[in-house]
Amino acid sequence: GENVEQHPSTLSVQEGDSAVIKCTYSDSASNYFPWYKQELGKRPQLIIDIRSNVGEKKDQRIAVTLNKTAKHFSLHITETQPEDSAVYFCAASWASGGAGSYQLTFGKGTKLSVIP
Amino acid sequence: EAQVTQNPRYLITVTGKKLTVTCSQNMNHEYMSWYRQDPGLGLRQIYYSMNVEVTDKGDVPEGYKVSRKEKRNFPLILESPSPNQTSLYFCASSLRGHLGSYNEQFFGPGTRLTVL
């Protein structure tokens, strides 16, 4: 199966600074890499994703980069705001079981605190 | 409103008393999945289903059962709950992409289970 390592486990930044969270994966066949944000007491929600045929994707203040050779991908948040404070999870999808079957393996999460 | 619902949201039970957590989605998604979330361990997949009558084990299936008799429902069954199954449980669903490619998972609100 897949193994996803996520670092750091906690991250504190000043408001307006950038935050970077890094993940590595083990299965070179993994082809989809989403990032989820989970606010306290809420469900995880997708904030950005990237497929293996793309190296970088941006959405306003959020960007994700993928290095397939090194098997790592990163989340970049610029101009951080207090409402960015949450737990962020990376994940990787990989083929499993029968034809067309796939699983999603998550990292252990990063608790981001943005200090006003 | 497109959504994933879970019931109950909170449950306190005792060891050995069978319970079922229901999950339903109204988005006509083929793929449904159950996760458990524990502090420091992130989200771990319990079972998933590619479509009706098709289910597969995830990373932590021991002590759980599922069924997928209808496309919209994917109940999680704990035949004989034990204290180590105390956790926050999330159901999720997604469209199944072309050739098995992955798509955004939508999460339910979560069920907090305590087994005494």
Side-chain angles (χ1 to χ4, degrees):
Chain A
E2 175 67 278
N3 182 46
V4 178
E5 300 279 344
Q6 182 172 346
H7 299 281
S9 56
T10 60
L11 179 61
S12 291
V13 299
Q14 290 291 137
E15 182 177 358
D17 287 350
S18 295
V20 180
I21 302 170
K22 299 181 180 181
C23 289
T24 60
Y25 61 98
S26 60
D27 189 343
S28 57
S30 290
N31 56 11
Y32 175 74
F33 307 91
W35 286 88
Y36 283 83
K37 175 183 180 182
Q38 186 179 28
E39 297 175 352
L40 190 63
K42 301 281 184 66
R43 72 192 77 187
Q45 291 194 295
L46 182 76
I47 54 171
I48 195 167
D49 56 13
I50 192 167
R51 298 189 188 273
S52 58
N53 58 349
V54 176
E56 184 176 359
K57 185 176 179 180
K58 280 186 178 179
D59 183 2
Q60 299 183 332
R61 297 186 297 108
I62 293 172
V64 58
T65 58
L66 171 65
N67 184 326
K68 286 179 60 180
T69 303
K71 290 190 281 187
H72 68 69
F73 56 112
S74 300
L75 177 71
H76 304 253
I77 305 174
T78 58
E79 300 172 20
T80 54
Q81 301 166 3
E83 50 266 38
D84 294 329
S85 295
V87 178
Y88 292 80
F89 292 98
C90 64
S93 82
W94 50 285
S96 66
S101 179
Y102 52 86
Q103 285 186 240
L104 192 63
T105 297
F106 284 82
K108 289 182 168 53
T110 297
K111 184 177 181 181
L112 174 64
S113 300
V114 180
I115 305 162
Chain B
E1 179 189 355
Q3 60 182 344
V4 180
T5 57
Q6 294 178 228
N7 281 293
R9 295 288 314 281
Y10 303 90
L11 179 60
I12 300 174
T13 190
V14 296
T15 299
K17 186 176 181 181
K18 181 178 178 179
L19 66 92
T20 299
V21 184
T22 64
C23 172
S24 183
Q25 51 91 8
N26 62 1
M27 296 172 278
N28 202 35
H29 286 169
E30 297 90 354
Y31 188 96
M32 297 188 73
S33 182
W34 277 102
Y35 297 89
R36 61 177 289 173
Q37 184 174 21
D38 302 289
L41 296 178
L43 291 150
R44 293 179 293 168
Q45 195 169 39
I46 303 171
Y47 269 94
Y48 62 100
S49 169
M50 298 297 293
N51 214 325
V52 175
E53 300 294 359
V54 180
T55 62
D56 281 299
K57 295 178 180 179
D59 296 320
V60 288
E62 294 78 20
Y64 304 94
K65 286 176 60 177
V66 293
S67 68
R68 187 89 183 274
K69 293 184 170 61
E70 307 166 279
K71 197 172 187 179
R72 63 169 49 213
N73 297 322
F74 190 45
L76 180 69
I77 302 155
L78 284 71
E79 295 265 359
S80 183
S82 62
N84 64 12
Q85 293 178 298
T86 292
S87 187
L88 178 60
Y89 292 87
F90 285 102
C91 179
S93 72
S94 71
L95 282 170
R96 179 176 174 178
H98 180 58
L99 295 178
S101 65
Y102 212 87
N103 288 294
E104 174 184 1
Q105 282 204 329
F106 294 86
F107 283 80
T111 295
R112 187 164 291 282
L113 172 65
T114 301
V115 183
L116 302 174

